[in-house]
Amino acid sequence: MTQTQDAPASARTRTYSWSDPTEHAALLGRRSGLELLRAMSAGELPPPPIMHLIDAAGMRAEEGSVTLELDPQEFHYNPLGTVHGGVISTLLDTAAACSVHSTLPAGVGYTSMDLNVKFLRAVTVDSGRLTCTGTVLQRGRRTALAEARLTDAAGRLVAHATSSCLLFELPAR
């Protein structure tokens, strides 16, 4: 494949901005996970940069469950003309891990240990708004298990994931 310096006539551009992610990190020891997530949902805190990157449409948080929304766009597409699996996986990982975060007290952090994704149907702009809900299945002292389900505007399941998260105490700030 040969590339030229000139962009094709059908080229599109996209510009976005984000807030300093250290704002969230500085609050981790002072607020519970649910407080942080609700503040982001309410617009009191900016969302993390990844949410701007994928152009997420919204988030709702309650203890043990987080729901994200995304309107599929062309810039999410892979070479086959469908939403890239990485975008879908990002939604699933975020919903599952944030559902774990919603159960954590101030001073406790987490990180994903694994993510097992099952893609069930193709997603395009015609799929309409996607809804991704993560739910904690089990939480212990050191690990948590969560799942996430991604549905299209018609309510059809398009992908499913399970995730294990490692829980740990954050260093004092």
Side-chain angles (χ1 to χ4, degrees), residues 4 6-13:
T4 64
D6 300 323
S10 63
R12 291 148 169 84
T13 61

Side-chain angles (χ1 to χ4, degrees), residues 33-42 58-68 98-99 101-102:
L34 185 58
E35 290 170 330
L36 282 172
L37 292 166
R38 284 187 170 161
M40 283 186 260
S41 295
M59 178 176 70
R60 294 181 303 281
E62 57 187 66
E63 187 166 351
S65 181
V66 170
T67 299
L68 305 167
C98 284
S99 70
H101 193 189
S102 73

Side-chain angles (χ1 to χ4, degrees), residues 17-27 40 45-50 52:
S17 58
W18 62 92
S19 299
D20 182 354
T22 60
E23 288 181 41
H24 296 124
L27 296 172
M40 283 186 260
L45 283 175
I50 189 65
H52 292 286

Side-chain angles (χ1 to χ4, degrees), residues 81-148:
T82 61
V83 172
H84 192 282
V87 174
I88 292 169
S89 295
T90 297
L91 280 172
L92 293 163
D93 180 55
T94 302
C98 284
S99 70
V100 170
H101 193 189
S102 73
T103 69
L104 301 179
V108 176
Y110 68 96
T111 188
S112 297
M113 295 191 314
D114 61 31
L115 182 70
N116 185 339
V117 177
K118 301 295 183 197
F119 302 101
L120 305 173
R121 79 175 53 241
V123 176
T124 68
V125 295
D126 294 334
S127 299
R129 179 161 286 184
L130 303 176
T131 302
C132 189
T133 301
T135 307
V136 174
L137 300 175
Q138 183 176 9
R139 194 187 118 206
R141 262 184 353 104
R142 297 193 182 261
T143 62
L145 176 65
E147 72 171 350

